[in-house]
Amino acid sequence: MNAPVESTPSTGAPHAALTDYYRDEQARAGFVRDMFDSTAEDYDRMERILGFGTGLWYRGQALERAGLKPGMRVVDVGVGTGLVAREAARIVGEASLVTGVDPSPGMMANAKVPAGVVLVPGSAEAIPFADAHFDFLSMGYALRHISDLLVAFREFHRVMKPGAKLCLLEITCPESRWGRFLLKVYMKGFVPLLALLVGRKKNTRQLWRYYWDTIEACVPPEQVLAMLKAAGFTEVRRHIEVKGMSILAEYQASKPL
């Protein structure tokens, strides 16, 4: 049983500290970086097996729904192995217009992105670019790994041009108790077992157990939307494309002109 430590709402943390994995919030960033570094080689393989409709086609559609168009300059925060960045490069039509930012050297070393996509070390809370630099900002399934949502959202706002669009893909708990139970059995039971069988890295099983625990402990969507508004975004909304599959959420917003 995971033992979260209560955090105050003012911190903007996406969830309380999960002390089965790290002792406190100060240790969280190092734990997450080491976890992704050590399992990066297995990540795409597990992603293909898991499905959930979160493959390349879904990511591409989500980016277009949020307003990504040819010629836009994109930053993909938490680029990981490049699944979102790949689709962004296809849509904008020129790979050099896409930049990926990630704190994990291991994930970026395993990224499969088109030639021309630039990958740079950085985090959601500290993006190494000037103000008003990008037309579009994306982040795929990394919201739960941010240390402070409000700090990150303000940083997103800073690097986006006036009128720029934002798209955050995230997995959230089903609203029904039965749906939550089924997803928990799948994510915390079946998926780690599958990782044990097909994964090559010893930490891959723990990664997917941690993945579920962050989903279960994450702040509700209403709080994410409120923090986006507090950071200065407008047209803030949560889009669910597949009815009955509310676990697949797209947070969309714009920076005012």
Side-chain angles (χ1 to χ4, degrees):
M1 183 72 177
N2 202 278
V5 173
E6 293 299 323
S7 62
T8 58
S10 62
T11 65
H15 53 75
L18 300 174
T19 55
D20 281 0
Y21 301 97
Y22 50 85
R23 65 182 179 275
D24 53 33
E25 179 56 30
Q26 287 186 327
R28 183 204 57 80
F31 167 81
V32 172
R33 184 176 58 252
D34 291 346
M35 177 68 66
F36 280 105
D37 278 347
S38 64
T39 60
E41 187 180 321
D42 283 339
Y43 193 85
D44 281 1
R45 184 183 306 107
M46 290 298 299
E47 162 67 25
R48 286 192 297 271
I49 293 171
L50 287 176
F52 268 142
T54 60
L56 290 175
W57 69 270
Y58 173 78
R59 287 171 167 85
Q61 289 182 348
L63 293 174
E64 291 179 323
R65 278 192 291 271
L68 184 60
K69 300 184 185 307
M72 283 185 166
R73 184 173 296 279
V74 181
V75 60
D76 184 42
V77 181
V79 65
T81 57
L83 293 170
V84 174
R86 228 179 296 173
E87 284 300 289
R90 178 185 63 79
I91 293 167
V92 300
E94 185 178 336
S96 62
L97 291 173
V98 178
T99 299
V101 174
D102 202 287
S104 167
M107 292 296 272
M108 288 192 291
N110 281 273
K112 300 176 180 65
V113 294
V117 172
V118 177
L119 301 178
V120 299
S123 68
E125 302 87 345
I127 301 171
F129 288 93
D131 295 357
H133 193 74
F134 297 100
D135 303 300
F136 193 97
L137 184 146
S138 61
M139 185 170 68
Y141 310 107
L143 180 148
R144 292 164 290 106
H145 308 308
I146 290 173
S147 64
D148 190 309
L149 293 178
L150 189 55
V151 170
F153 293 166
R154 286 172 175 160
E155 182 71 348
F156 293 175
H157 192 277
R158 181 188 68 78
V159 300
M160 293 167 63
K161 296 178 182 178
K165 304 294 184 182
L166 172 144
C167 180
L168 311 179
L169 305 179
E170 195 46 77
I171 296 176
T172 56
C173 273
E175 295 174 4
S176 73
R177 186 176 298 178
W178 180 241
R180 183 186 294 252
F181 171 75
L182 290 177
L183 184 62
K184 183 173 184 175
V185 169
Y186 180 71
M187 290 294 298
K188 202 165 183 177
F190 174 74
V191 173
L193 178 60
L194 187 64
L196 185 64
L197 297 174
V198 304
R200 297 174 182 171
K201 300 297 183 180
K202 64 179 182 179
N203 283 347
T204 297
R205 184 181 183 186
Q206 184 185 39
L207 169 66
W208 293 101
R209 290 180 65 87
Y210 178 73
Y211 200 81
W212 163 256
D213 285 335
T214 59
I215 293 171
E216 187 175 42
C218 193
V219 297
E222 295 76 17
Q223 195 166 335
V224 177
L225 295 172
M227 281 191 270
L228 283 168
K229 291 176 183 177
F233 287 101
T234 58
E235 300 179 275
V236 176
R237 57 200 177 274
R238 178 177 182 250
H239 176 80
I240 302 297
E241 180 64 15
V242 183
K243 302 304 179 185
M245 282 287 284
S246 60
I247 58 172
L248 298 179
E250 302 161 26
Y251 294 101
Q252 303 168 353
S254 302
K255 180 174 178 177
L257 288 168

